[in-house]
Amino acid sequence: EADIYQTPRYLVIGTGKKITLECSQTMGHDKMYWYQQDPGMELHLIHYSYGVNSTEKGDLSSESTVSRIRTEHFPLTLESARPSHTSQYLCASTGGVEAFFGQGTRLTVV
Amino acid sequence: RKEVEQDPGPFNVPEGATVAFNCTYSNSASQSFFWYRQDCRKEPKLLMSVYSSGNEDGRFTAQLNRASQYISLLIRDSKLSDSATYLCVVRGTYKYIFGTGTRLKVLA
């Protein structure tokens, strides 16, 4: 089992609220990723990090931001949630070969 | 053109059938290749890595052709539990790029 955890698993929030999706891993992996996936659709990379204090935008434009202050922690923040942000957000990490995924956060903005 | 392209699904096959999935990638500098499995409303999980020499894990065989930039997955003797979406994944220097996935449904 992969030691990568996301909280919350499910979140329903009103438009305009600020939210932070948490992702933590205990495997000591340097590289971490955030993907966005709509139901039945492909995964899109929205952010990644090579290590502490490094963050990069992914291939899909996103209004979210990320930070990497500690190796094990890679939170994603939406300053002002909108219905268009409704989706599943998946966090992943790798030690070099295989990428391990958290169980995801299913976000609904109403 | 997408960086990773897969066969369109869904594939509906009877139990016991052999089914093959194909995938092509556009970046010749890609370094690692994988097949992931994703069950409905779950996270993707690694099924197997893919090597040029080909590799087999029980009923599953994966093959990579670097010259053609082509990856395949063969599932023999399909089981009901094989029903899922199969994702072709290509890794560059840092990023993992996922194909759209091919949905497999194995019918009793």
Side-chain angles (χ1 to χ4, degrees):
Chain A
E1 280 301 306
D3 294 320
I4 178 164
Y5 308 100
Q6 290 185 242
T7 57
R9 292 286 310 281
Y10 303 93
L11 179 62
V12 180
I13 201 161
T15 297
K17 300 289 187 184
K18 177 179 178 178
I19 54 171
T20 296
L21 308 185
E22 302 288 350
C23 176
S24 296
Q25 50 93 7
T26 58
M27 298 174 280
H29 289 167
D30 286 330
K31 299 178 186 66
M32 296 188 72
Y33 308 85
W34 276 103
Y35 288 86
Q36 183 174 343
Q37 185 180 34
D38 292 325
M41 304 297 285
E42 65 199 282
L43 281 80
H44 291 287
L45 180 66
I46 52 175
H47 297 282
Y48 60 103
S49 167
Y50 307 144
V52 171
N53 293 326
S54 115
T55 61
E56 301 286 342
K57 288 193 179 293
D59 302 319
L60 181 69
S61 174
S62 174
E63 293 163 347
S64 57
T65 59
V66 291
S67 62
R68 189 88 183 277
I69 298 170
R70 303 198 317 265
T71 297
E72 62 271 21
H73 196 213
F74 191 38
L76 181 145
T77 298
L78 277 165
E79 291 291 334
S80 179
R82 293 210 298 268
S84 60
H85 297 139
T86 294
S87 190
Q88 174 162 254
Y89 293 84
L90 287 156
C91 179
S93 73
T94 183
V97 182
E98 175 187 355
F100 296 90
F101 281 84
Q103 292 184 297
T105 294
R106 199 168 293 276
L107 173 66
T108 302
V109 183
V110 297
Chain B
R1 185 188 169 194
K2 294 189 177 186
E3 286 190 64
V4 179
E5 300 210 55
Q6 291 187 241
D7 276 351
F11 283 48
N12 295 323
V13 303
E15 267 188 297
T18 295
V19 60
F21 300 143
N22 304 312
C23 169
T24 57
Y25 61 97
S26 60
N27 186 349
S28 59
S30 299
Q31 299 180 358
S32 304
F33 309 88
F34 310 90
W35 284 100
Y36 273 70
R37 170 187 170 136
Q38 186 173 26
D39 292 297
C40 188
R41 303 175 77 83
K42 300 278 192 180
E43 75 276 20
K45 292 189 178 181
L46 179 69
L47 178 67
M48 56 200 307
S49 299
V50 190
Y51 307 109
S52 297
S53 55
N55 47 308
E56 189 173 310
D57 183 2
R59 297 180 293 108
F60 298 84
T61 301
Q63 195 77 44
L64 166 66
N65 185 322
R66 279 191 181 269
S68 303
Q69 295 181 202
Y70 171 91
I71 304 162
S72 65
L73 176 68
L74 186 75
I75 304 175
R76 291 180 299 277
D77 189 23
S78 299
K79 311 289 185 195
L80 293 174
S81 58
D82 293 335
S83 297
T85 296
Y86 290 83
L87 303 167
C88 178
V89 184
V90 172
R91 184 177 75 91
T93 306
Y94 295 111
K95 297 191 293 183
Y96 292 78
I97 305 299
F98 285 74
T100 54
T102 302
R103 196 174 305 168
L104 171 67
K105 186 166 186 179
V106 181
L107 307 171

